[in-house]
Amino acid sequence: MSGSTSDTGGAGAKRFFEGFEGGGGPLQTAVWRLRSRGCWADAAALLETRPGAAAALQRASLLVERCLFTENGWPAAEEALRGAEALAKDDDERGSAACERGHLAYASTVLGVQDRADEARSALGRAAALLHPNSPNRPLLDFRRGLIAEHLSDSPQSARAAYRRAHAGATTHHKALLLSFTWRHLAGLALRDGELAEARHGFAESLRIREELGYLVGTAPALAALADAEPEPEASRLRAEAARLFHLLDGVPTWLAAQLSPPAATA
């Protein structure tokens, strides 16, 4: 099975992920700055005329992420993803495209747009068969399989194992943004089990990484998550800061609104 980073396709896919954290030159820096502020369509537009599967994959991923954060833009994401799938030529590119297909189906399901859980599982299973175990794209796949285990299959043990694999892989491949996600979701499972100290540490690490990277669109969710593990008055301070950023970004991510709403008054 092909897909090592020494292959042409693997190198392209590696550049695709490096671009998601501001590496890869002026174009990727511009894409990152737009993405980190929730300007996914503008970021994707910068890649529209770039040739090759790597650019198509990155563009599709940006538009899939927009769906997850805004609950809008589904047709554009589908179109971009079909284009990336058509351009994929080796196992690493096909596996990365399948990973994005699974993530789009997951987003549609978890947000209640359309139940595509079977498609999500199938696509991520296909990605697992295609991606080389040492591919730099494998940790993201492991993370997304954890999301499905936690949120679609209600299997926290399987989710924790997948998140830990993703966390280890993200550390090995220096994927700082992915680490912010694995820290946060492992902390969420710890909080669910009543492990407050572990949860607080994980949420704090997630927030620290996002602030250091300048991932503004992901900072409000990180603040709100940490607030759930902190006592008062720190919890209220964190939620107030999360609400400030949420409104600054015009209510993105949309699903955070319910978490930031004050509790209903009781009689």
Side-chain angles (χ1 to χ4, degrees):
M1 181 161 43
S2 65
S4 71
T5 56
S6 61
D7 297 336
T8 301
K14 184 179 180 183
R15 288 194 300 273
F16 151 56
F17 280 97
E18 284 173 346
F20 265 34
E21 295 182 22
L27 173 63
Q28 293 297 347
T29 298
V31 168
W32 167 254
R33 285 175 177 168
L34 289 166
R35 179 206 180 190
S36 65
R37 288 159 177 77
C39 302
W40 296 280
D42 292 339
L46 293 180
L47 299 163
E48 198 161 5
T49 60
R50 304 288 291 185
L57 275 167
Q58 186 176 5
R59 185 171 179 274
S61 294
L62 288 163
L63 295 176
V64 170
E65 185 174 80
R66 179 177 67 167
C67 293
L68 188 60
F69 274 71
T70 69
E71 302 179 58
N72 283 308
W74 304 95
E78 288 281 1
E79 182 181 359
L81 188 50
R82 285 194 295 269
E85 289 167 338
L87 287 170
K89 292 181 174 62
D90 64 20
D91 283 350
D92 210 66
E93 290 172 350
R94 284 189 287 269
S96 296
C99 187
E100 291 306 321
R101 169 66 63 189
H103 196 47
L104 182 63
Y106 162 79
S108 176
T109 305
V110 80
L111 293 173
V113 176
Q114 181 182 355
D115 187 349
R116 298 170 59 179
D118 289 343
E119 180 187 353
R121 294 187 182 97
S122 175
L124 294 190
R126 188 163 65 253
L130 288 165
L131 289 174
H132 190 278
N134 295 326
S135 169
N137 304 343
R138 192 83 189 198
L140 182 62
L141 170 62
D142 287 332
F143 172 69
R144 289 173 173 176
R145 295 181 92 179
L147 291 176
I148 286 181
E150 181 179 4
H151 298 293
L152 301 188
S153 301
D154 193 23
S155 179
Q157 289 185 336
S158 296
R160 183 178 288 105
Y163 292 150
R164 284 176 174 166
R165 288 194 302 272
H167 192 84
T171 301
T172 298
H173 293 288
H174 308 290
K175 305 291 183 185
L177 183 61
L178 180 55
L179 277 174
S180 82
F181 281 94
T182 55
W183 272 121
R184 181 182 168 199
H185 284 267
L186 284 168
L189 292 177
L191 184 64
R192 178 173 173 170
D193 291 341
E195 301 290 341
L196 279 178
E198 183 180 343
R200 192 175 298 122
H201 175 69
F203 288 139
E205 283 297 298
S206 177
L207 176 61
R208 177 187 63 78
I209 292 170
R210 292 182 180 197
E211 289 179 335
E212 288 179 355
L213 291 174
Y215 187 50
L216 188 62
V217 75
T219 300
L223 286 162
L226 180 57
D228 289 340
E230 292 283 5
E232 295 293 353
E234 180 65 6
S236 291
R237 186 194 69 78
L238 289 165
R239 287 194 185 94
E241 179 62 13
R244 186 188 71 80
L245 286 174
F246 177 72
H247 293 301
L248 179 67
L249 292 168
D250 296 325
V252 174
T254 53
W255 41 262
L256 191 59
Q259 190 174 345
L260 294 176
S261 297
T266 57

